[in-house]
């Protein structure tokens, strides 16, 4: 936006964090996040990462089911209901610039997220969680596992996005993972 000569309107604040050694991240998390992660580990949640060389149709189907059930549960508008073909095409066209993360409980996929990659930055794109598994805190588990995976693969930044409105509960949730990092603002 720096060299745009038209009118810029600040739209939303987005949570962006610098990835660092997992032990340093751990120390920066609020106690609630650490407790949720421990709970997830204790009940045996497992994260699996699927890149273009590892992904199978079943992984995309599992994500699609989780995503669609999530959109139905939250009463999302029709334009948020993407087809299975959309997701397959998105990942195929993205080639090596994505990772699909699925969280499993007892070999059942319960949460997932598509993360797009540009340069050294990961962008949280679309995700969801099956509500029957909320008590295991799979979302917190997923975010922390992604940070560790990304750091180990030498990525530098993780952009979680914002909320529907600045400062809303979704934004506040995302901020718990990078509470000391400076946010960025998107412009229209």
């Amino acid at each position: 936006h720096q060299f745009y000569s038209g009118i810029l309107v600040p739209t939303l604040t987005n949570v962006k964090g610098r990835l660092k050694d997992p032990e340093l991240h751990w120390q920066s998390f609020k106690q609630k996040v650490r407790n949720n992660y421990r709970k997830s580990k204790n009940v045996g949640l497992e994260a699996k990462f699927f890149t273009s060389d590892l992904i199978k149709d079943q992984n995309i189907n599992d994500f699609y089911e989780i995503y669609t059930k999530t959109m139905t549960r939250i009463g999302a508008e029709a334009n948020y209901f993407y087809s299975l073909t959309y997701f397959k095409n998105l990942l195929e066209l993205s080639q090596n610039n994505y990772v699909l993360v699925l969280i499993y409980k007892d070999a059942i996929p319960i949460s997932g997220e598509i993360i797009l990659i540009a340069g050294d930055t990961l962008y949280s794109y679309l995700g969801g969680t099956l509500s029957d598994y909320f008590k295991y805190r799979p979302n917190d588990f997923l975010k922390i596992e992604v940070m560790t995976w990304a750091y180990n693969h030498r990525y530098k930044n993780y952009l979680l996005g914002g909320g529907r409105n600045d400062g809303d509960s979704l934004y506040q949730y995302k901020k718990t993972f990078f509470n000391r990092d400076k946010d960025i603002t998107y412009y229209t």
Side-chain angles (χ1 to χ4, degrees):
H1 70 277
Q2 295 171 342
F3 304 107
Y4 179 66
S5 61
I7 298 171
L8 286 171
V9 178
T11 312
L12 285 175
T13 303
N14 286 260
V15 175
K16 178 181 179 183
R18 188 88 174 145
L19 295 166
K20 50 192 169 201
D21 182 275
E23 281 303 313
L24 294 175
H25 267 302
W26 185 255
Q27 295 167 13
S28 71
F29 294 142
K30 294 187 176 192
Q31 185 174 356
K32 178 182 175 185
V33 173
R34 291 193 302 264
N35 288 341
N36 287 344
Y37 183 79
R38 282 187 199 106
K39 182 177 187 173
S40 300
K41 288 289 277 187
N42 288 339
V43 298
L45 294 193
E46 179 184 11
K48 293 186 180 180
F49 294 82
F50 302 98
T51 52
S52 60
D53 56 332
L54 299 173
I55 199 159
K56 306 280 187 250
D57 277 347
Q58 185 59 51
N59 307 131
I60 302 169
N61 293 343
D62 291 341
F63 174 81
Y64 176 74
E65 182 177 336
I66 293 167
Y67 178 81
T68 302
K69 286 181 178 179
T70 300
M71 294 303 104
T72 300
R73 183 185 75 247
I74 66 172
E77 295 179 21
N79 60 318
Y80 286 100
F81 285 85
Y82 303 107
S83 68
L84 179 59
T85 301
Y86 169 83
F87 287 113
K88 288 182 177 183
N89 289 340
L90 170 73
L91 298 179
E92 183 179 330
L93 293 171
S94 296
Q95 298 175 2
N96 295 323
N97 298 315
Y98 75 87
V99 61
L100 170 63
V101 184
L102 292 174
I103 304 300
Y104 293 84
K105 169 77 172 111
D106 302 324
I108 299 168
I110 63 168
S111 185
E113 184 168 289
I114 293 175
I115 298 170
L116 302 178
I117 302 170
D120 62 4
T121 302
L122 279 69
Y123 294 84
S124 179
Y125 181 50
L126 295 172
T129 299
L130 300 179
S131 59
D132 291 345
Y133 296 91
F134 280 166
K135 63 186 172 191
Y136 303 124
R137 302 294 187 223
N139 294 325
D140 293 22
F141 184 77
L142 184 146
K143 296 286 188 271
I144 293 172
E145 290 291 309
V146 167
M147 288 178 192
T148 301
W149 179 89
Y151 178 80
N152 290 337
H153 285 82
R154 297 199 167 108
Y155 292 104
K156 304 289 185 214
N157 305 293
Y158 187 16
L159 198 135
L160 299 178
R164 291 195 167 276
N165 299 298
D166 271 342
D168 67 7
S169 61
L170 181 57
Y171 166 83
Q172 294 298 330
Y173 166 73
K174 292 175 181 180
K175 192 66 181 166
T176 63
F177 296 98
F178 293 109
N179 58 45
R180 297 179 186 161
D181 290 80
K182 186 176 179 191
D183 294 335
I184 61 170
T185 301
Y186 279 12
Y187 293 86
T188 301

